[in-house]
Structure formats: C-alpha cells, structure tokens
C-alpha cells in the first residue's frame, strides 16, 4: 500500500527559480484549465539532489487531445506510450497523462511485457506505474502549504530512498522488469549516474531476467545504449552491465574479448573513461566512437580469418569484416547509418594513418574522421595493442607549421618499393559479395593493414 507524504519544496531545498520557465508556463496553463499537473520524474529527483535537471517532464490529468487543444506549439507522439511534446524554441517539455492500472485494457505480450500503456488514471496510480521510487516524486510549484508555495508529494517512500541513495523498483521487481525489460538498463544507468546502489530485490531479479532484454526491439535498445554512453558515467555503467551479464545481450560480439583479453579491456575502459571526461569538460561525444572501439576486436579477428582462409582478397578483408560485425551487432541493437559509416571510416583510417608519404599526411589530416581516428590510434597505443610511435608523430604533425609538416614527411623512411603484382586469377566463387569498396578508396594496392606501423 502507498503512504502519502507531503512537504514544502522549500523543506527539500527546491525553489521555483531552479525550474525551467517554459515548464512553469505549461503547468500554469494546464492548472488554469482545471487539470491537476506536476513536475515529475528525473527533474524532481535531480533538484532534490542539488543537480541541474537535464529536462523537465510534466504529468497531468489532461488527456493528450486536451493538451493538444490547449497549446498551439504541441505535438502528440508515441504509440506504445502516447505523449505530448510542447516546444519553446529549442526546449521541449514532455507532458504525459497520468497512467492508471493496466487491468485488461493495456496490451501485454505472453511474457508479461507491456506493449501499449495508454490507460489513464489518477496521480496515485501514475506513481505506481513509474519505474523507480526515486523517479516518482510529484512537485506542484503552485500549491500552497504552511504559507509557502510549492509542494512535493511522495507516494512511494521516494524521499527516503533518495536520502539513502537506493535504486528500488516500484512494486515487485520481477513483474516490473518483465513488463518492460528496459527497466533493468535504467536501474543500472541511474545507479551509475547518481552513484546509488541497487537494492537487493531489484538487483537479484536482474540476474534472473537479463534474457528478457532480447525481446526489446533493436531500435529501442540502441536508444538506451546511447543514453548509457552519454550519462557521464559510462565507465561505471559498463562495469555494472558486465557484472549483471547484460553486456552479453547488448554487445554479444564484444563481450568475450572484454572479459578475457586484457588489452581489449583496457582499450574499451579507457575509451569509456575518456568519454566521461569529455562530457564533464562540455565536449562533444558520438556513439560511433565507442561503437568502433567496442567492435574493433571482433572486426579484427574476422578480418584475420578472411585473410587466413582467403575468403576475400586481402585488400577487401577489412571492409567485409566491418560489414559482417556491424550486421551482427544490429541484430542486438540497431546502429543507424549515420553512426555505422563513421565507424567504418575510423577503422579504415587506422591503417591509412601509417601511410604518410607525399601528400597523404596532409590529405589524412583534412579527412573529416581524422580526429576520431587519431584519438582511436592513441588509445590503441596506450592499451598496448600496437607499439607506440605513430600517435606521437601525428600529435607533433598537428602542432607544427606547414614547413615543418613537410619536413616531417620528407624525413620518413624511404617508401618501400612496391612489389610488382602478378595479375590476379579470376575467382571461381561467383557468390562473392561485391560490396562497394568506397572505404578502400586509398588506391591501396597492398594489404596495408598488416604493415608494421611507422616510424
Ligand atoms: P533523465 O531524463 O535525467 O535521464 P528521467 O528520470 O527524467 O531521467 P526519462 O527517461 O526522462 O527519465 O523518463 C521520465 C520519467 O518517466 C521517469 O522518471 C520515470 O518516472 C518514467 N519512466 C521512464 N521510463 C519508464 C519505464 N520504462 N517504465 C516506467 N516508468 C518510466
Ligand atoms: Mg527526463
């Protein structure tokens, strides 16, 4: 049973000035139209923890169509979970109607997964169907109590869990994870991000139910992976995903290397640590970088196998291996093309960064993927995957003037003479996949990937 606690926002150290003016406008308008409305979820949790909320979500008694008719800057989205998005410039305020008990009207799968959740209810019912207690606080910025404006309502003992820094599923964790297995990833993400611990029952159920994540559509899993990458604590989150064996489902090709290959583990860990650092410095991060790092070892191994078994000509092996691992990974989580293309370019550039003669260094430096590929190269050197040296050369190249750049290129060891190639025999295997070879556009007539890196 739920116990209701109410206290002033001031008692929780939360004031109106911490709230987005747009969110306040939305609440005012909904309340004036007679609809009970609150700030809810992450923003209340973060304000209570003294953090700046990422966004401001609102829960209201108004139904989506009613919200839509009140605001002309409104758009209704979502099928599984219908929502209103109200736009103010670049800011979007997400407004959800209170959800009620699922009863017979919500759509669930055989395994108990909620396929659609559009049954509306009261604020108390809405609190019960949220995922974690810490995400179920309701803040009415206009309500008065003890002569003060702003009241927080707590139906789930959320305040105590925030104080004790506990992640706790609302209700029976087993049932709630089965309803929506993504909640397992959310529990881990918030534990990592807030440095909270997952309470025992909520934790134990993850080990038992991790497999249910396989039922989640690949596109939704990718969204969650992205959130994990950019939560600012990706390294911590990753260690926990590994402990809970959730990595096996998210990155089935990478997990064996991460667990058994020290060098690969160090490469991935350092990439995650750097991502967290970049975010804390306010720098840009892209999922394609971490995905390229995560899938590097399986791609390299596949490439080596192709070469060993002569399944593809050497110069095409990387391209084909890249295609293979990306396709396999997309069975677990989708990878939009806008990310898979840069990943392949980063991989391709790993070999090309060694080839700096003539105008090549300059052309590489201008390549849109140069920076990411250079960062990747440094990580590979740091982890001990390859000998250090080339990274330092490129570090210097970027710092010096044009004349010095040219002399650096001249000072490189003499380019090895190309061996004359005998004309290749036509392949008997007509089923060979002739994928466009745009990534190998470096007219590379040798299998350059395997050359020792200079200098
Ligand atoms: P942040 O935005 O800081 O990552 P958040 O808690 O606001 O954290 P959102 O993904 O924005 O997270 O979701 C808003 C709220 O919706 C959550 O706080 C939670 O109450 C509820 N919620 C989100 N996803 C689920 C889910 N899968 N099951 C139940 N409730 C959910
Ligand atoms: Mg949010």
């Amino acid at each position: 049973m739920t116990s209701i606690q109410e206290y002033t926002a001031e008692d929780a150290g939360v004031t109106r000035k911490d709230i987005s003016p747009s969110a306040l406008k939305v609440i005012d308008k909904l309340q004036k139209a007679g609809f009970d409305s609150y700030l809810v979820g992450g923003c209340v949790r973060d304000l209570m923890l003294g953090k700046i909320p990422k966004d401001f979500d609102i829960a209201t008694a108004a139904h989506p169509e009613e919200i839509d008719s009140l605001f002309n800057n409104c758009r209704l989205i979502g099928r599984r979970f219908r929502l209103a998005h109200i736009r103010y410039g670049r800011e979007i305020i997400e407004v959800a109607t209170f959800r009620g008990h699922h009863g017979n009207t919500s759509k669930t799968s055989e395994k108990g997964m909620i396929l659609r959740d559009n049954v509306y209810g009261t604020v108390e019912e809405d609190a019960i169907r949220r995922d974690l207690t810490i995400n179920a606080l309701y803040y009415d910025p206009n309500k008065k109590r003890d002569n003060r404006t702003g009241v927080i309502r707590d139906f789930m003992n959320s305040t105590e869990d925030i104080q004790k820094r506990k992640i706790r599923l609302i209700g029976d964790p087993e049932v709630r994870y089965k309803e929506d297995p993504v909640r397992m990833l959310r529990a881990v993400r918030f534990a990592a991000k807030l440095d909270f611990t997952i309470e025992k029952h909520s934790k134990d159920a993850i080990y038992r139910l991790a497999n249910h994540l396989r039922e989640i559509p690949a596109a939704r899993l990718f969204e969650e992976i992205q959130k994990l990458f950019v939560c600012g604590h990706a390294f911590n989150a990753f260690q926990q995903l590994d402990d809970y064996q959730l990595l096996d489902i998210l990155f089935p090709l990478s997990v064996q290397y991460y667990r058994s290959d020290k060098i690969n583990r160090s490469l991935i860990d350092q990439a995650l640590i750097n991502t967290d650092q970049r975010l804390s410095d306010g720098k840009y991060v892209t999922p394609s970088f971490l995905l390229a790092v995560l899938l590097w070892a399986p791609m390299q191994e596949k490439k080596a196998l192709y070469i060993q078994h002569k399944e593809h000509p050497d110069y095409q092996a990387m391209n084909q291996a890249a295609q293979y691992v990306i396709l396999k990974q997309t069975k677990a989580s989708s990878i939009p093309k806008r990310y898979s293309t840069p990943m392949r370019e980063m991989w391709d550039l790993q070999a090309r960064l060694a080839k700096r003669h003539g105008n090549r260094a300059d052309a590489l430096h201008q390549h849109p993927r140069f920076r990411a590929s250079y960062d990747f190269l440094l990580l590979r050197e740091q982890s001990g995957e390859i000998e250090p040296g080339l990274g330092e050369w490129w570090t210097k190249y970027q710092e010096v003037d044009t004349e010095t750049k040219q002399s650096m290129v001249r000072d490189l060891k003499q380019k090895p003479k190309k061996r004359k190639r005998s004309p290749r025999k036509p392949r008997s295997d007509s089923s060979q996949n002739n994928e466009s070879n745009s990534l190998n556009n470096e007219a590379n007539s040798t299998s350059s990937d395997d050359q020792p890196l200079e200098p």
Side-chain angles (χ1 to χ4, degrees):
M1 221 22 250
T2 60
S3 65
I4 305 177
Q5 298 172 56
E6 267 196 18
Y7 47 88
T8 64
E10 200 181 307
D11 286 344
V14 177
T15 59
R16 265 182 93 91
K17 69 169 176 35
D18 300 326
I19 305 165
S20 141
S22 317
L24 288 172
K25 255 190 252 172
V26 173
I27 293 205
D28 288 352
K29 195 160 183 175
L30 285 165
Q31 291 183 344
K32 281 201 181 102
F35 299 111
D36 213 10
S37 305
Y38 302 87
L39 286 159
V40 69
C43 64
V44 189
R45 174 199 72 217
D46 289 347
L47 289 171
M48 296 208 17
L49 288 167
K51 293 177 186 281
I52 299 169
K54 187 162 74 48
D55 45 35
F56 289 85
D57 299 322
I58 290 172
T60 180
H63 284 200
E65 298 69 29
E66 292 170 320
I67 306 167
D68 194 29
S69 64
L70 273 174
F71 297 88
N72 47 21
N73 45 347
C74 174
R75 208 162 67 91
L76 298 185
I77 61 151
R79 230 167 76 84
R80 194 178 58 84
F81 194 92
R82 204 154 166 72
L83 288 172
H85 272 179
I86 303 178
R87 180 182 279 277
Y88 292 90
R90 293 181 57 173
E91 191 180 10
I92 290 178
I93 306 293
E94 198 166 275
V95 186
T97 307
F98 297 145
R99 259 46 181 190
H101 294 305
H102 305 122
N104 305 325
T105 32
S106 279
K107 220 173 157 225
T108 46
S109 75
E110 266 171 38
K111 292 188 179 162
M113 192 160 83
I114 296 186
L115 302 176
R116 228 165 284 164
D117 187 5
N118 291 316
V119 180
Y120 304 126
T122 63
V123 60
E124 287 89 342
E125 288 167 350
D126 188 77
I128 295 172
R129 54 137 290 268
R130 289 190 178 263
D131 54 352
L132 313 173
T133 56
I134 59 161
N135 287 345
L137 285 169
Y138 293 73
Y139 173 16
D140 181 341
N142 298 321
K143 191 171 170 178
K144 295 206 166 34
R145 188 188 163 102
D146 303 337
N147 282 330
R148 276 171 289 173
T149 310
V151 168
I152 292 175
R153 304 186 75 188
D154 175 353
F155 306 97
M156 294 292 150
N157 258 332
S158 306
T159 314
E160 190 182 328
D161 281 342
I162 289 185
Q163 282 159 355
K164 292 190 174 161
R165 307 178 77 79
K166 286 268 177 245
I167 301 287
R168 186 191 310 274
L169 262 284
I170 291 171
D172 177 353
E174 183 130 352
V175 175
R176 302 306 311 286
Y177 288 142
K178 281 183 181 163
E179 275 177 7
D180 182 2
V182 165
R183 289 174 185 150
M184 292 185 265
L185 298 179
R186 290 179 57 86
V188 169
R189 170 156 59 90
F190 289 118
K193 179 173 150 173
L194 304 169
D195 199 18
F196 280 25
T197 48
I198 307 182
E199 161 282 326
K200 187 174 181 324
H201 298 289
S202 304
K203 184 175 173 157
D204 291 350
I206 300 182
Y207 295 106
R208 293 196 300 275
L209 301 172
N211 265 326
H212 285 246
L213 266 181
R214 296 185 202 280
E215 295 150 34
I216 300 297
R220 184 157 179 236
L221 267 199
F222 182 73
E223 270 176 39
E224 280 306 314
I225 287 174
Q226 253 185 306
K227 288 183 187 170
L228 283 158
F229 283 173
V230 301
C231 76
H233 299 268
F235 175 67
N236 183 347
F238 214 75
Q239 310 309 302
Q240 298 197 42
L241 291 172
D242 186 20
D243 290 346
Y244 291 118
Q245 283 149 33
L246 293 167
L247 269 194
D248 305 65
I249 293 153
L250 297 184
F251 297 105
L253 283 87
S254 321
V255 70
Q256 47 164 320
Y257 301 94
Y258 186 67
R259 291 200 180 122
S260 61
D261 176 344
K262 264 195 180 152
I263 288 179
N264 185 251
R265 191 179 188 101
S266 139
L267 177 82
I268 292 173
D269 282 348
Q270 198 55 51
L272 293 162
I273 291 167
N274 292 358
T275 300
D276 293 340
Q277 186 59 47
R278 285 182 69 86
L279 285 163
S280 117
D281 296 341
K283 290 187 188 156
Y284 170 79
V285 299
T286 162
S288 50
F289 188 84
L290 282 178
L291 288 169
V293 171
L294 277 161
L295 293 173
W296 175 244
M299 191 282 288
Q300 289 279 83
E301 180 161 334
K302 193 72 189 167
K303 181 184 121 192
L305 281 175
Y306 281 153
I307 291 172
Q308 190 188 338
H309 298 302
K310 303 200 181 324
E311 280 185 55
H312 297 288
D314 289 5
Y315 72 93
Q316 270 190 11
M318 199 221 70
N319 219 358
Q320 297 292 341
Q323 165 140 319
Y324 174 88
V325 293
I326 288 174
L327 196 73
K328 272 222 131 174
Q329 174 62 31
T330 54
K331 301 225 157 68
S333 79
S334 60
I335 306 179
K337 225 185 165 87
R338 66 180 183 283
Y339 299 129
S340 60
T341 305
M343 285 166 67
R344 299 173 68 133
E345 289 173 342
M346 276 175 61
W347 288 340
D348 188 47
L349 279 170
Q350 291 312 296
R352 288 169 54 192
L353 284 173
K355 300 193 276 171
R356 295 152 289 166
H357 288 93
N359 296 329
R360 286 176 169 192
D362 189 42
L364 285 165
H365 191 207
Q366 308 297 327
H367 193 290
R369 224 56 66 198
F370 170 79
R371 186 72 215 189
S373 306
Y374 159 76
D375 286 345
F376 188 16
L377 177 73
L378 290 183
L379 278 182
R380 292 176 60 215
E381 290 188 353
Q382 268 173 33
S383 69
E385 187 208 319
I386 48 172
E387 288 290 314
L390 184 60
E392 202 183 316
W393 190 93
W394 276 110
T395 307
K396 184 171 171 209
Y397 186 86
Q398 293 170 76
E399 287 163 357
V400 297
D401 58 25
T402 316
E403 217 169 290
T404 321
K405 278 188 172 65
Q406 286 166 352
S407 83
M408 282 177 75
V409 171
R410 275 197 305 274
D411 290 349
L412 289 168
K413 271 187 271 162
Q414 209 45 42
K415 197 176 170 186
K417 281 240 166 65
K418 271 189 198 166
R419 261 185 297 133
K420 234 184 161 183
R421 297 181 108 214
S422 48
R424 193 172 332 155
K425 281 191 212 124
R427 284 176 65 103
S428 52
D429 173 14
S430 56
S431 68
Q432 182 196 350
N433 185 348
N434 261 329
E435 193 218 10
S436 99
N437 198 19
S438 60
L439 291 173
N440 278 320
N441 53 8
E442 169 76 21
N444 43 353
S445 50
T446 57
S447 84
S448 53
D449 280 14
D450 301 318
Q451 285 183 356
L453 298 178
E454 299 169 39

